[in-house]
Amino acid sequence: MEEKEDKGFVVKDRRKVAREESEQPEAAAGPETAGKEDREAEAKGERAPSGEESRHVPLPEVTLATFVFSLSSSALVHLGEVPDPESQSVRVDLPLAKQIIDTLGMLQEKTRGNLDPDEDRLLKTVLYDLRLRYVQKSGK
């Protein structure tokens, strides 16, 4: 009995994106060779940056602190404390701000006893500040 080799799955990007001139020869090479280097790098655990990605500033390392700051920034946007980074408009969306604050509270409960002292202090401080701002905005 002959066994078939498991080939995994194939992901095809069907978005319509205008390609740069430097990318056009790759597209003309055909689907079997287009992106071959990206797939090989991805299989090795490396990732070759595409033209668009190479122009962006590298993202910070994902740590608990960066995750907490990210959620905190989103909550501040929804509390109307800082402008939305994309539209530069200031809007207040208290239910969404509460959702994010509650998510941080859940994170605090679920990680209790597993954080180092700095992480614990950061989470407590951020939650205290966001909850205080929420109460002030909501008038409760």
Side-chain angles (χ1 to χ4, degrees):
M1 184 180 263
E2 192 177 307
E3 289 186 34
K4 289 185 178 180
E5 184 180 322
D6 182 23
K7 294 184 180 181
F9 59 90
V10 177
V11 177
K12 292 184 181 180
D13 187 356
R14 296 183 181 182
R15 296 177 289 186
K16 295 184 186 217
V17 179
R19 295 182 177 248
E20 295 179 9
E21 287 181 27
S22 64
E23 293 178 320
Q24 287 179 356
E26 181 180 294
E32 60 278 347
T33 57
K36 182 178 177 184
E37 292 172 355
D38 288 339
R39 288 192 300 273
E40 289 174 356
E42 194 171 315
K44 292 178 186 176
E46 305 167 350
R47 184 145 189 257
S50 69
E52 194 172 310
E53 290 175 331
S54 64
R55 287 180 251 152
H56 291 305
V57 177
L59 297 173
E61 178 186 356
V62 178
T63 63
L64 182 71
T66 58
F67 182 57
V68 168
F69 283 131
S70 175
L71 288 173
S72 172
S73 297
S74 295
L76 290 171
V77 167
H78 296 299
L79 286 169
E81 297 287 327
V82 295
D84 184 305
E86 291 197 12
S87 67
Q88 296 303 316
S89 64
V90 176
R91 288 189 7 233
V92 176
D93 188 344
L94 291 178
L96 197 49
K98 183 180 184 318
Q99 174 84 22
I100 295 169
I101 295 167
D102 290 346
T103 300
L104 283 165
M106 179 270 308
L107 184 64
Q108 182 183 38
E109 284 181 36
K110 296 293 184 179
T111 58
R112 185 169 284 127
N114 293 319
L115 301 177
D116 65 40
D118 289 336
E119 292 171 332
D120 188 49
R121 188 172 27 261
L122 170 70
L123 198 48
K124 283 180 182 175
T125 303
V126 167
L127 267 170
Y128 176 81
D129 181 60
L130 290 175
R131 286 173 174 157
L132 186 63
R133 290 172 190 256
Y134 176 80
V135 169
Q136 289 171 342
K137 287 283 181 173
S138 66
K140 291 184 178 180

